[in-house]
């Protein structure tokens, strides 16, 4: 789950990145008496149970997020309840083998079993059921979140996608953006009490399994001590912070230029003006941030919008007779679907160019590519492995813009990981660690260089110049560098909630303290404890651990550098694309096939030659931009 996941639950680790996989009850009946089953046989039985039971669990979760209503939520909660009960029973049974000499694979399998969910449940059946219900309710509330207001004498109701459109629109007014931002955050207010209870319950579950709290359990999934893992993330952040600060300073200057005194809040970026609901990606500010106007045209969104418009014209031209209003809606929808599909095929093409298989036919019939018009769904993108035998899907509400295009590449990274490791025992079917799962598709996104984009017709002819390099680097930095502190702060908040250092009456103030400290962003209006702003970010109600994305933003540059080496590339790192390179593809696929069958440093070493997380790859990549930013910021007071 995860990546998806469903709040629901289970098996986050198991399912890997995005989808849930679950165990079921028949194994408990089959459990032989203590002492009569070897550890190897026990692990075999657990793996068989996961394989057998995950399709049902995934089906329930899939329906709950692609067809939100009380019935689908009830079924998802029930199936989650069964899975978590079974998981607890397995974990309990596994205690029989504590202290025994086990083979390396069996010992690893048992250790992974204890980490198989991001939602550890109390043993008490009533509490477990309550936890499963709250989880479904929170995720459903996020997906169905709607902000209504009276506007120009009319009732106006909008969901996340439409509110995001306002934030990404460079022509929208300051006031309209503030309204869209605060409006979306109202949907989270009712989640506060449920989240508080949720935290109590998962902590109880984690403690029963022997962890200090749920956060310590999450930090235990990295083949190292949980405290060492926290220190490792601090170390990496210190390495990349100067680069982030340089970018933040430049952006602040441009916002101040556009908005005057309203362009900052005590030296911090106003949350509603960054082009993104959570300030995690600043790519939509391109019109005010583009370093050199027209040096290398990179208007991918413009190209996609044109493609959609052309498709719509084609459909209209083919329509016989006069189109009614209903017909027009249908044609619009067909155009949406056609462009979403062609964007997805474009992403698939990159993977197959590396020698990876085509997506199975079922992907194209079962995936949710666009937002249905007739019901609520969770639009937050996710990738699913429904049955470990080829029923892979993504769930998105694709729009023709650059952000969604790169998200498709991201999601297909999860899908190809699933396909590569499906032959492994289910307990090994996950990323080497969860950061690996998140980094696969992003590594491919780094290879979407201007030259590659031109070759597929998404941008115009590229002229080589230093200015074009800076433009291309800025485009990447607004996605990748802007994200870094965000990738860290979400779990700094949750770790604090779980370990009790953030009390329920400080949920919101602690959130904004962390946003200020790490990201240098601030709300333009007061956000007191009447609000529950963490709930407005999918992964909090969806219970998806988030440090994985921070790791992924470091790792993807390491992967990229290694694949460029494998492809024999010799120029500056940022200009490398390994599109079409079978050697790089082979190395990539070999890594994916390993799943989490061995400690991640070994897997990393096989690909990159080193088993260490290392921020030098991202720093080398952005060296030209960082030098440029320093020049631009000269004379300005940076930092916060
Ligand atoms: O949640 C996601 C993916 C699904 S795993 C769309 N991402 C994070 C986010 O959107 O907050 C990708 C980057 C960060
Ligand atoms: Zn992902």
């Amino acid at each position: 789950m995860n990546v998806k996941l469903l709040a629901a639950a289970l098996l986050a680790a198991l399912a890997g990145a995005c989808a849930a996989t679950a165990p079921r009850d028949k194994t408990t009946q089959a459990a032989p008496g203590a002492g009569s089953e070897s550890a190897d046989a026990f692990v075999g039985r657990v793996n068989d149970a996961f394989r057998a039971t995950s399709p049902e669990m995934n089906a329930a979760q899939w329906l709950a997020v692609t067809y939100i209503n009380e019935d689908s939520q009830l079924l998802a909660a029930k199936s989650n309840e069964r899975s978590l009960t079974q998981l607890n029973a397995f974990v309990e049974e596994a205690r029989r083998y504590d202290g025994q000499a086990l083979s390396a694979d069996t010992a690893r399998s048992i250790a992974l079993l204890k980490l198989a969910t991001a939602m550890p449940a109390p043993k008490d059946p009533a509490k477990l059921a309550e936890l499963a219900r709250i989880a479904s309710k929170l995720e459903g509330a996020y997906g169905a979140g709607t902000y209504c207001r009276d506007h120009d004498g009319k009732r106006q109701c909008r969901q996340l996608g439409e509110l995001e459109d306002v934030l990404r629109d460079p022509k929208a007014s300051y006031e309209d953006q503030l309204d869209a931002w605060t409006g979306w955050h109202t949907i989270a207010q009712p989640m506060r009490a449920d989240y508080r209870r949720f935290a109590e319950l998962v902590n109880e579950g984690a403690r029963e399994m022997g962890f200090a709290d749920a956060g310590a359990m999450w930090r235990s999934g990295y083949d190292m001590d949980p405290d060492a893992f926290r220190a490792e993330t601090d170390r990496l952040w210190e390495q990349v912070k100067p680069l982030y600060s340089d970018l933040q300073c430049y952006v602040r200057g441009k916002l101040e230029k556009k908005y005057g005194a309203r362009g900052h809040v005590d030296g911090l970026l106003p949350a509603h003006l960054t082009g993104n609901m959570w300030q995690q990606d600043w790519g939509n500010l391109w019109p005010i941030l583009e370093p050199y106007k027209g040096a290398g045209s990179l208007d991918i969104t413009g190209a996609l919008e044109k493609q959609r418009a052309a498709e719509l014209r084609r459909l209209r031209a083919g329509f016989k007779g006069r189109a009614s209003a209903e017909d027009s809606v249908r044609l619009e929808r067909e155009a949406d679907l056609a462009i979403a599909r062609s964007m997805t095929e474009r992403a698939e093409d990159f993977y197959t160019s590396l020698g990876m298989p085509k997506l199975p036919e079922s992907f194209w019939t079962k995936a949710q590519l666009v937002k249905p018009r007739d019901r609520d769904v969770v639009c937050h993108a996710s990738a699913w492995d429904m049955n470990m035998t080829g029923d892979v899907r993504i769930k998105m509400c694709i729009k023709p813009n650059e952000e969604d295009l790169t998200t498709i590449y991201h999601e297909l990274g999860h899908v190809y990981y699933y396909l590569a490791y499906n032959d492994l025992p289910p307990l090994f079917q996950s990323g080497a660690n969860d950061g690996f799962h998140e980094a696969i598709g992003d590594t491919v996104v780094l290879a979407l260089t201007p030259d590659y984009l031109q070759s597929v017709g998404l941008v115009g002819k590229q002229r080589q110049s230093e200015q074009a390099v800076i433009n291309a680097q800025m485009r990447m930095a607004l996605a990748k560098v802007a994200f870094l502190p965000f990738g860290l702060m979400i779990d700094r908040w949750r770790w604090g909630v779980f370990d009790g250092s953030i009390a329920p009456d400080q949920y919101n103030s602690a959130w904004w303290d962390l946003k200020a400290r790490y990201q240098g962003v601030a709300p333009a209006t007061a956000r007191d404890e009447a609000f529950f702003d963490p709930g407005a970010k999918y992964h909090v109600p969806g219970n998806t651990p988030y440090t994985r994305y921070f790791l992924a933003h470091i790792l993807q540059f390491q992967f990229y550098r290694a694949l460029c080496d494998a492809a024999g590339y010799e120029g500056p790192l940022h200009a490398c694309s390994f599109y079409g390179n079978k050697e790089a593809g082979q190395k990539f696929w070999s890594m994916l096939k390993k799943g989490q069958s061995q400690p991640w440093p070994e897997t990393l070493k096989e690909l990159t030659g080193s088993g260490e997380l290392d921020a030098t790859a991202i720093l080398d990549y952005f060296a030209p931009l960082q030098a440029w930013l320093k020049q631009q910021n000269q004379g300005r007071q940076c930092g916060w």
Side-chain angles (χ1 to χ4, degrees):
M1 45 158 253
N2 119 76
V3 170
K4 104 193 192 350
L5 200 235
L6 321 186
L10 204 6
L11 307 188
L14 247 200
C18 296
T21 327
R24 187 166 56 182
D25 28 21
K26 80 178 205 242
T27 43
T28 356
Q29 301 155 14
S36 65
E37 187 181 37
S38 71
D40 292 352
F42 168 71
V43 166
R45 182 161 60 83
V46 170
N47 277 319
D48 289 348
F50 282 177
R51 235 182 226 293
T53 60
S54 68
E56 179 188 323
M57 159 87 175
N58 286 323
Q61 303 301 334
W62 173 267
L63 283 177
V65 295
T66 60
Y67 214 124
I68 301 177
N69 63 33
E70 284 181 11
D71 299 325
S72 62
Q73 279 184 29
L74 178 100
L75 295 176
K78 280 287 166 199
S79 103
N80 210 4
E81 193 182 320
R82 277 204 302 282
S83 308
L84 290 168
T85 303
Q86 188 193 45
L87 180 63
N88 280 350
F90 281 148
V91 169
E92 191 60 40
E93 284 188 69
R95 289 187 202 280
R96 295 202 293 260
Y97 308 104
D98 284 355
Q100 288 191 14
L102 305 172
S103 73
D105 274 3
T106 295
R108 183 167 178 81
S109 299
I110 289 179
L112 292 172
L113 175 67
K114 294 181 184 163
L115 296 168
T117 179
M119 198 173 104
K123 287 184 194 152
D124 176 338
K127 288 183 177 169
L128 184 148
E130 185 189 2
L131 175 62
R133 272 197 309 274
I134 295 179
S136 291
K137 183 178 166 198
L138 283 170
E139 184 162 23
Y142 184 91
T146 306
Y147 163 54
C148 298
R149 63 170 182 174
D150 292 319
H151 185 60
D152 289 343
K154 279 207 235 61
R155 190 82 179 146
Q156 179 196 36
C157 292
R158 289 170 294 173
Q159 295 198 315
L160 178 59
E162 294 152 284
L163 297 166
E164 286 183 291
D165 286 344
V166 177
L167 298 188
R168 74 164 65 92
D169 178 1
K171 296 199 199 76
S173 71
Y174 179 100
E175 287 74 19
D176 283 349
Q177 293 197 325
L178 185 58
D179 170 70
W181 187 88
T182 51
W184 173 247
H185 285 73
T186 61
I187 70 106
Q189 286 172 272
M191 295 177 188
R192 174 186 277 265
D194 282 334
Y195 194 78
R196 177 184 180 160
R197 181 67 181 148
F198 179 86
E200 278 169 11
L201 292 168
V202 289
N203 266 344
E204 190 170 325
R207 290 190 183 118
E208 286 174 2
M209 285 200 209
F211 298 97
D213 61 70
M217 179 171 167
W218 286 7
R219 292 191 298 279
S220 298
Y222 298 94
D223 299 303
M224 63 171 89
D225 175 83
D227 290 338
F229 177 68
R230 185 199 290 264
E232 188 65 350
T233 57
D234 286 337
R235 175 182 74 81
L236 293 165
W237 170 236
E238 290 305 323
Q239 273 187 284
V240 296
K241 200 162 119 182
L243 172 60
Y244 178 78
S245 302
D246 290 338
L247 185 64
Q248 194 267 7
C249 190
Y250 171 76
V251 171
R252 202 185 73 202
K254 295 292 178 188
L255 287 175
E256 285 166 358
K257 199 163 155 223
K258 176 166 176 184
Y259 296 100
R262 295 199 299 181
H264 72 96
V265 177
D266 299 332
L268 309 182
L269 311 181
H272 66 290
L273 296 181
T274 60
N276 176 277
M277 195 62 83
W278 310 278
Q279 310 83 47
Q280 67 185 71
D281 180 330
W282 304 339
N284 291 318
L285 297 184
W286 183 252
I288 60 167
L289 299 180
E290 181 176 7
Y292 299 104
K293 287 269 170 291
S297 81
L298 294 171
D299 187 9
I300 297 172
T301 299
L304 292 169
E305 282 171 347
K306 268 197 206 133
Q307 286 177 17
R308 184 192 175 279
E311 178 63 21
L312 186 59
R313 277 198 304 277
R314 203 183 62 76
L315 289 165
R316 283 195 180 132
F319 189 85
K320 306 256 173 324
R322 242 178 83 94
S324 66
E326 213 175 290
D327 293 328
S328 294
V329 169
R330 195 167 48 74
L331 293 178
E332 292 274 352
R333 181 171 173 76
E334 277 179 34
D336 289 342
L337 200 54
I339 184 72
R341 205 181 145 109
S342 93
M343 290 162 71
T344 309
E345 286 167 350
R346 171 65 59 218
E348 177 195 33
D349 169 70
F350 199 112
Y351 289 89
T352 56
S353 88
L354 300 176
M356 296 188 194
K358 283 186 85 66
L359 292 168
E361 238 350 269
S362 59
F363 174 92
W364 299 104
T365 51
K366 296 184 171 179
Q368 177 197 295
L369 298 184
V370 300
K371 189 175 195 292
R373 289 178 189 263
D374 60 344
R375 59 186 190 264
D376 284 328
V377 301
V378 176
C379 276
H380 189 84
S382 57
W384 296 62
D385 183 3
M386 301 299 288
N387 62 2
M388 305 185 194
T389 45
D391 181 353
V392 285
R393 309 177 188 176
I394 64 174
K395 171 186 66 59
M396 289 186 66
C397 299
I398 298 173
K399 292 182 190 171
N401 63 46
E402 174 177 0
E403 205 178 319
D404 281 7
L405 181 71
T406 56
T407 299
I408 300 170
Y409 286 79
H410 174 97
E411 297 308 330
L412 291 194
H414 290 308
V415 165
Y416 279 101
Y417 219 151
Y418 298 148
L419 293 173
Y421 63 46
N422 266 168
D423 294 336
L424 292 176
L427 281 165
F428 289 161
Q429 289 195 31
S430 206
N433 66 42
D434 56 8
F436 280 60
H437 230 299
E438 299 303 337
I440 306 309
D442 286 15
T443 302
V444 172
V445 169
L446 292 176
L448 305 184
T449 54
D451 283 348
Y452 164 81
L453 293 167
Q454 185 201 336
S455 74
V456 299
L458 279 170
V459 301
K461 176 130 186 64
Q462 300 296 307
R463 275 187 309 256
Q464 309 296 330
S465 71
E466 274 174 42
Q467 297 191 342
V469 168
I470 296 301
N471 271 12
Q473 289 237 304
M474 180 64 82
R475 163 181 165 264
M476 227 23 130
L478 295 177
K480 307 287 185 187
V481 178
F483 182 82
L484 291 162
F486 184 73
L488 216 50
M489 63 79 42
I490 299 232
D491 281 353
R492 291 290 190 269
W493 183 81
R494 278 189 296 203
W495 294 352
V497 167
F498 293 141
D499 73 16
S501 60
I502 297 176
D505 64 357
Q506 305 163 339
Y507 277 171
N508 223 42
S509 62
W511 175 260
W512 286 107
D513 286 350
L514 288 163
K515 299 274 293 176
R517 174 138 73 92
Y518 284 99
Q519 290 183 274
V521 307
T525 52
R527 306 298 295 174
D528 61 20
E529 298 298 329
F531 300 103
F532 180 61
D533 294 324
K537 174 66 192 166
Y538 168 73
H539 302 69
V540 174
N543 194 42
T544 306
Y546 211 85
T547 309
R548 57 182 63 179
Y549 301 107
F550 174 74
L551 296 180
H553 278 68
I554 303 293
L555 275 171
Q556 60 190 261
F557 289 88
Q558 294 183 252
F559 295 171
Y560 174 67
R561 183 159 65 181
L563 295 177
C564 290
D565 284 347
Y569 177 80
E570 285 180 348
L573 189 55
H574 56 82
C576 158
S577 181
F578 49 81
Y579 178 77
N581 190 283
K582 302 286 187 288
E583 285 77 26
Q586 187 52 50
K587 275 204 106 165
F588 215 7
W589 189 251
S590 303
M591 175 170 91
L592 303 187
K593 279 178 77 69
K594 287 274 163 80
Q596 64 174 347
S597 62
Q598 61 188 23
W600 65 262
E602 289 174 31
T603 308
L604 184 59
K605 191 157 186 208
E606 286 166 12
L607 183 74
T608 68
S610 156
E612 305 276 326
L613 290 164
D614 176 10
T616 63
I618 182 171
L619 294 174
D620 286 353
Y621 179 97
F622 284 116
L625 180 72
Q626 193 172 9
W628 184 86
L629 286 169
K630 285 198 186 305
Q631 275 171 12
Q632 300 297 310
N633 291 335
Q634 255 171 28
R636 291 178 46 81
Q637 180 87 45
C638 290
W640 62 91

